[in-house]
Amino acid sequence: MHDGPDGLRVDSTTINTTISTELALARRCSLCGGPMGYWVAFLGGPGAAELLRYTDPPGHAECMTAALSLCPHIALARHRRARADRPGGGMIPPGSHGEKPEKYVLGITRSYRTEFVPSHGFSVYLPAPFKSVHEYEYGPDGRLVTTPRAR
C-alpha cells in the first residue's frame, strides 16, 4: 500500500519501506499481513539467496508460493517493471541493479534480522541459513514453471 492522491492505493511495482519494515519487525507476512508462525520464506534471485540478503521482506511460504503465479513480474519472463517516469512506476531500491533474475529461489528458514539502512532509506532482510530451498525457472513459453526444483 502506498499513499496516493485519493488515499492508499496498491502498487505492486515498489515496496512501501515503512509498512514492510513494520511488518517484518512484528513478524507478519509482507503479502497478507497475517502473523508468521514457525517458518518464514524469502523469495528472490539466486544472488540474494547466496548472500542471504534481501530488499524484499519475508512472508508465509504459502503467500510467497502464490506470488510465483499471481505476480506478473515474477510469473512472466518478459514482464518488466514500469519506468519510474510513468504513472504507477516503482522506484528500484538504492543498491539494487534492477535486473530480473533468470530464476527465482524460495528459501525457508526459522528466523531473520531486519536492518534499516538510513543512508538509502530502506531495510535489508537477513535470513538465517535456509532449511529448504526451491528453485523456479522459466519454461520455453516464458512462464515460470511453478513446480519447484529442490536443491
Side-chain angles (χ1 to χ4, degrees):
M1 300 299 294
H2 297 270
D3 289 323
D6 300 323
L8 287 177
R9 64 180 172 77
V10 174
D11 178 356
S12 59
T13 66
T14 186
I15 296 170
N16 182 321
T17 303
T18 302
I19 292 174
S20 63
T21 300
E22 289 171 0
L23 288 168
L25 290 171
R27 200 173 168 90
R28 298 183 78 80
C29 178
S30 63
L31 297 178
C32 76
M36 289 189 284
Y38 189 81
W39 298 109
V40 296
F42 286 85
L43 182 63
E50 182 179 332
L51 296 172
L52 294 174
R53 296 178 87 67
Y54 290 81
T55 54
D56 289 343
H60 294 115
E62 298 82 5
C63 291
M64 294 298 186
T65 301
L68 293 168
S69 57
L70 296 176
C71 174
H73 181 73
I74 296 171
L76 304 171
R78 297 184 60 89
H79 196 279
R80 299 288 179 238
R81 293 182 187 270
R83 293 188 331 254
D85 63 337
R86 294 184 58 203
M91 187 171 166
I92 296 171
S96 297
H97 52 71
E99 298 293 321
K100 187 171 189 168
E102 73 281 359
K103 62 183 171 184
Y104 281 87
V105 177
L106 177 73
I108 299 174
T109 186
R110 168 68 180 110
S111 62
Y112 61 90
R113 291 180 305 138
T114 301
E115 290 186 8
F116 185 70
V117 182
S119 60
H120 293 302
F122 73 97
S123 292
V124 64
Y125 306 96
L126 309 166
F130 294 133
K131 298 297 181 192
S132 65
V133 176
H134 303 279
E135 292 183 351
Y136 300 85
E137 296 182 353
Y138 292 99
D141 64 353
R143 294 185 177 277
L144 196 69
V145 176
T146 57
T147 304
R149 188 177 62 152
R151 60 173 191 158

